[in-house]
Amino acid sequence: VLRADFEVTRQEEITRSQSAEGAARPLAQITGVALRSDEGETGHATLDGGSGLTIAIQVHATTRLTDWILGVGLTTPMGTTLYQTNTKLMGVPPEPLLGTGRYEFHLVGLPLGEGDYAVQASIQLLDGTDVHLVPEAAHFSVRGDGSSLGPLRVPITFAMV
């Protein structure tokens, strides 16, 4: 709850800043995030360890959005970031946007342990200015075999020598 309250306050500050600066700053929002497992499961997907996940993001820009970055991340239920990337780091800048655009990130072979996870989605400008962040845009779970604990799935063997 505290994290959610903090994020609401932060987004209100961004909106006030954008309003004060008028058209100098693009206004855009993440209007939808959907998940799809490699097996085709949608909604709150439950993955097998090592499966892939597609994150579909819809963005709506009320002013022309240029030189921008779309990002995704994975977190634990406590908000610990496990993974983040964005279009800048990937070297695939999105084209300018006015109106609604749809984008997909495909995470191949996630090495996640059994548990629940959240997906973050974000929009930034190339200069690092935050435009919109959704810290818990979607949720998914990973099934495990009970042989280990924690958010990382690591193939392991044991031998008595």
Side-chain angles (χ1 to χ4, degrees), residues 60-85:
H60 183 75
T62 55
T63 63
R64 186 172 167 82
L65 192 60
T66 59
D67 298 326
W68 63 291
I69 301 167
L70 185 60
V72 295
L74 302 179
T75 66
T76 66
M78 296 300 291
T80 303
T81 299
L82 299 175
Y83 177 79
Q84 281 187 326
T85 193

Side-chain angles (χ1 to χ4, degrees), residues 82-104:
L82 299 175
Y83 177 79
Q84 281 187 326
T85 193
N86 61 50
T87 53
K88 180 180 178 184
L89 294 172
M90 296 172 68
V92 288
E95 295 189 8
L97 176 66
L98 177 60
T100 301
R102 292 175 184 81
Y103 310 90
E104 286 188 352

